[in-house]
């Protein structure tokens, strides 16, 4: 892929339903209120981008499974699409939906509508999400080329995972793969989705519409592969899940091969698309929390955003704030992994967040905590709503690993309980 403008990107949330709600509305969770994967109805007052584009005459389509991922149909994710295709709709699960199948549905639609004056196509590639199921050629590639190497005395998954995450992971690990083998499979799926995105872009070029097409590539969240004792999931508010790519190409309006190292968010995507499409934000869609990135790109604007606040309420209840150097994570409930209430990381010196330096820099932690508390209070006042995190997490995880819990049960049994 060529001619991509890259933005350093840190988003507001690290779970699918909340992230995509923000991506499609330009509103942060403190406005739209979706903070986990509970099967709740998304308010109809939230107008997603496809509705606006459809009203402006765009042909709209999605190849996606978002409407069903909470375990209960959520028709909000279908709003505004003339065509909504879910290749996994008649299956028991969407977890094995592959990039190949996405393209098999997307490319015929693209060929049919390529000469439309305006179209909007939303694609949701699922592959780098557990369970990682690369095709044979990509599994072979990762087996040989992945930088992942087995560690001596590698623990079993049972000794690392907590419930109910263990039940989910083990359900799709019937072959009893080791941690290293699963990490390699992840690399294989990244290679796989990269291949099929390349296939899609090549098709756009063959159709002769590449120069006139804006392509945006991003992710709803990252994935932890063992960092901070979190395996094959996305929670914790660490950079492994919050720092995701954002790549935009639009040869007519954007420079090529430019990297912008500013903090941006999911909420910035909608206003960016609207400005590039020369469509004003309609009254029913206001207020937007994001800011268009067009001026940031063209003018190298220096003061786009000085910090970002993130939150989570799926397995744990936490908030974080980060700027270009520092990241503070606050746990609002007892941390399931035994971490302290506050964690402070110097991201310049320690980008992988391996050393909590709060004892060395208490003044930095206090300043960031005050800044985060003030920002949250401003959001709640602005939108006249309670803190969405006050509703609690979707599911609480057991503080013990599965292996530890079995030892406790065995000991209690020996004592006659």
């Amino acid at each position: 892929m060529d001619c991509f403008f890259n933005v350093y990107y840190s988003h507001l949330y690290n779970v699918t339903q909340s992230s995509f709600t923000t991506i499609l509305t330009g509103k942060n969770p403190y406005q739209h209120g979706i903070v986990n994967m509970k099967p709740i109805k998304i308010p109809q007052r939230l107008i997603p981008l496809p509705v606006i584009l459809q009203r402006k005459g765009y042909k709209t389509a999605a190849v996606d499974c978002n409407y069903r991922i909470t375990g209960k149909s959520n028709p909000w994710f279908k709003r505004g699409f003339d065509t909504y295709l879910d290749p996994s709709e008649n299956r028991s699960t969407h977890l094995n939906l592959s990039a190949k199948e996405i393209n098999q549905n997307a490319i015929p639609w693209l060929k049919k509508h390529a000469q439309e004056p305006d179209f909007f196509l939303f694609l949701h590639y699922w592959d780098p999400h557990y369970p990682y199921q690369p095709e044979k050629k990509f599994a072979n590639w990762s087996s040989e080329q992945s930088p992942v190497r087995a560690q001596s005395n590698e623990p079993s998954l049972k000794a690392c995972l907590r419930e109910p995450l263990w039940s989910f992971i083990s359900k799709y690990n019937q072959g009893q793969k080791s941690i290293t083998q699963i990490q390699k499979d992840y690399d294989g799926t990244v290679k796989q989705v990269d291949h099929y995105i390349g296939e899609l872009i090549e098709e756009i070029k063959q159709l002769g519409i590449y120069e006139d097409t804006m392509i945006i590539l991003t992710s709803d969240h990252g994935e932890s592969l063992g960092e901070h004792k979190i395996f094959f999931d996305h929670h914790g508010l660490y950079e492994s899940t919050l720092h995701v790519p954002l790549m935009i190409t639009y040869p007519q309006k954007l420079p090529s091969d430019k990297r912008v190292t500013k903090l941006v968010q999911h909420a910035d995507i909608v206003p960016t698309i609207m400005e590039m499409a020369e469509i004003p934000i309609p009254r029913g869609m206001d207020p937007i929390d994001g800011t268009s990135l067009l001026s940031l790109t063209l003018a190298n604007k220096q003061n786009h955003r000085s910090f970002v606040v993130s939150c989570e309420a799926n397995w744990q209840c936490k908030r974080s704030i980060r700027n270009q150097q520092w990241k503070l994570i606050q746990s609002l409930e007892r941390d399931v992994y035994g971490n302290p209430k506050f964690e402070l990381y110097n991201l310049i010196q320690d980008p992988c967040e391996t050393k909590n330096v709060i004892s060395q820099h208490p003044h930095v932690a206090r300043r960031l905590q005050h800044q985060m508390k003030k920002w949250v209070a401003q959001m709640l006042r602005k939108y006249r709503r309670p803190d969405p995190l006050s509703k609690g997490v979707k599911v609480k995880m057991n503080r013990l690993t599965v292996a530890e819990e079995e030892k406790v049960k065995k000991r209690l049994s020996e004592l006659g309980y």
Side-chain angles (χ1 to χ4, degrees):
M1 294 182 282
D2 56 5
C3 297
F4 272 99
F5 135 62
N6 300 289
V7 180
Y8 178 76
Y9 190 66
S10 184
H11 65 66
L12 273 166
Y13 202 64
N14 65 351
V15 73
T16 300
Q17 184 167 249
S18 182
S19 291
F20 275 120
T21 303
T22 295
I23 288 171
L24 292 172
T25 65
K27 303 175 188 293
N28 70 46
Y30 293 92
Q31 181 179 177
H32 63 60
I34 310 301
V35 294
N36 53 33
M37 295 298 287
K38 287 182 179 179
I40 60 175
K41 185 177 181 180
I42 298 176
Q44 288 296 106
R45 63 177 172 77
L46 293 175
I47 301 177
L49 174 66
V51 168
I52 304 302
L53 297 179
Q54 190 181 53
R55 291 173 182 172
K56 291 293 183 179
Y58 280 66
K59 287 292 182 181
T60 59
V63 186
D64 176 37
C65 59
N66 265 331
Y67 81 102
R68 62 175 289 190
I69 60 173
T70 55
K72 182 179 180 181
S73 293
N74 222 326
W76 185 88
F77 283 108
K78 291 186 175 183
R79 289 185 66 191
F81 290 112
D82 300 316
T83 303
Y84 189 99
L85 302 171
D86 177 6
S88 68
E89 187 165 14
N90 296 319
R91 301 178 195 165
S92 60
T93 180
H94 57 283
L95 294 173
N96 55 5
L97 181 58
S98 70
K100 183 177 182 179
E101 292 175 283
I102 297 293
N103 279 12
Q104 286 172 342
N105 284 267
I107 290 175
W109 187 94
L110 194 60
K111 288 180 176 179
K112 183 178 179 180
H113 297 279
Q115 302 310 316
E116 296 280 354
D118 298 297
F119 68 83
F120 176 74
L121 178 60
F122 177 83
L123 305 179
H124 184 181
Y125 293 98
W126 190 263
D127 309 55
H129 188 295
Y130 190 86
Y132 319 120
Q133 299 175 334
E135 296 172 19
K136 185 176 180 180
K137 63 180 177 180
F138 298 111
N140 291 340
W141 174 89
S142 64
S143 178
E144 298 174 1
Q145 302 295 326
S146 170
V148 175
R149 296 290 179 267
Q151 304 297 314
S152 58
N153 301 318
E154 180 176 282
S156 68
L157 273 172
K158 182 180 285 190
C160 300
L161 290 176
R162 291 152 169 77
E163 287 288 15
L165 192 54
W166 160 253
S167 293
F168 170 68
I169 298 294
S170 58
K171 178 180 179 180
Y172 294 97
N173 188 26
Q174 298 300 316
Q176 300 297 308
K177 292 182 178 180
S178 67
I179 290 173
T180 297
Q181 289 172 317
I182 298 176
Q183 290 170 336
K184 285 178 176 287
D185 282 344
Y186 173 82
D187 285 352
T189 60
V190 172
K191 180 75 171 178
Q192 178 169 299
V193 78
D194 180 73
H195 168 82
Y196 285 107
I197 290 174
E199 177 186 77
L200 183 77
I201 292 174
E202 186 58 36
E203 186 65 42
I204 291 172
K205 291 179 177 179
Q206 291 297 319
L207 290 169
I209 58 173
Y210 179 76
E211 295 294 318
D212 193 36
T213 301
M214 175 165 51
I215 302 170
I216 299 177
L217 175 64
T218 190
S219 177
D220 51 336
H221 56 74
E223 197 85 336
S224 290
L225 304 176
E227 302 91 344
H228 301 93
K229 301 180 182 179
I230 301 173
F231 289 87
F232 317 129
D233 192 57
H234 31 277
H235 60 274
L237 298 185
Y238 299 107
E239 291 298 280
S240 55
T241 58
L242 293 186
H243 181 182
V244 297
L246 175 62
M247 293 185 281
I248 306 176
T249 180
Y250 192 15
Q252 282 193 1
K253 293 189 177 181
L254 293 179
S256 63
D257 302 320
K258 184 172 183 180
R259 183 176 182 85
V260 180
T261 59
K262 306 302 179 191
L263 293 169
V264 303
Q265 300 173 328
H266 278 152
D268 296 329
I269 293 175
V270 162
T272 300
I273 292 174
M274 301 286 274
E275 184 177 7
M276 289 195 193
E278 299 180 355
I279 299 174
I281 303 293
R283 183 177 299 177
M285 204 177 189
D286 269 342
I288 296 289
D289 292 308
T291 304
S292 172
L293 303 177
L294 188 56
S295 59
L296 174 69
T297 310
L298 299 178
N300 200 24
K301 186 178 174 183
Q302 295 299 312
N303 58 344
H304 178 71
R305 185 176 283 108
S306 60
F307 67 91
V308 291
V309 175
S310 303
C311 63
E312 67 173 341
N314 212 54
W315 302 107
Q316 320 186 101
C317 196
K318 293 192 175 190
R319 264 194 275 269
S320 71
I321 182 171
R322 69 149 294 175
N323 53 37
Q324 292 285 9
Q325 180 175 5
W326 299 99
K327 161 83 95 41
L328 180 73
I329 302 174
Q330 178 182 5
S331 182
L332 305 178
E333 297 179 355
R334 185 174 178 181
D335 182 88
V336 71
Y337 295 97
N339 292 313
K341 184 175 181 179
F342 290 99
E343 299 171 67
L344 179 69
Y345 298 99
N346 186 329
L347 298 177
I348 294 177
Q349 297 178 359
D350 181 24
C352 294
E353 299 164 301
T354 61
K355 187 177 181 181
N356 181 4
V357 293
I358 194 166
S359 60
Q360 294 97 308
H361 303 279
H363 60 291
V364 174
R366 285 193 296 269
R367 174 170 53 81
L368 289 173
Q369 184 189 4
H370 174 75
Q371 192 174 34
M372 178 168 62
K373 186 177 180 180
K374 180 180 178 181
W375 183 89
V376 171
Q378 288 174 340
M379 289 296 104
L380 300 181
R381 283 197 305 271
K382 180 178 180 179
Y383 298 122
R384 299 178 182 178
R385 64 173 306 136
D387 188 344
L389 296 186
S390 64
K391 297 178 181 179
V393 299
K394 179 191 175 187
V395 179
K396 286 195 175 184
M397 284 175 34
N398 195 319
R399 289 195 298 272
L400 298 177
T401 65
V402 174
E404 290 169 341
E405 188 176 0
E406 288 182 354
K407 290 179 181 178
V408 171
K409 289 179 179 178
K410 181 180 179 182
R411 181 58 178 157
L412 290 173
S413 177
E414 291 172 349
L415 293 171
Y417 292 96

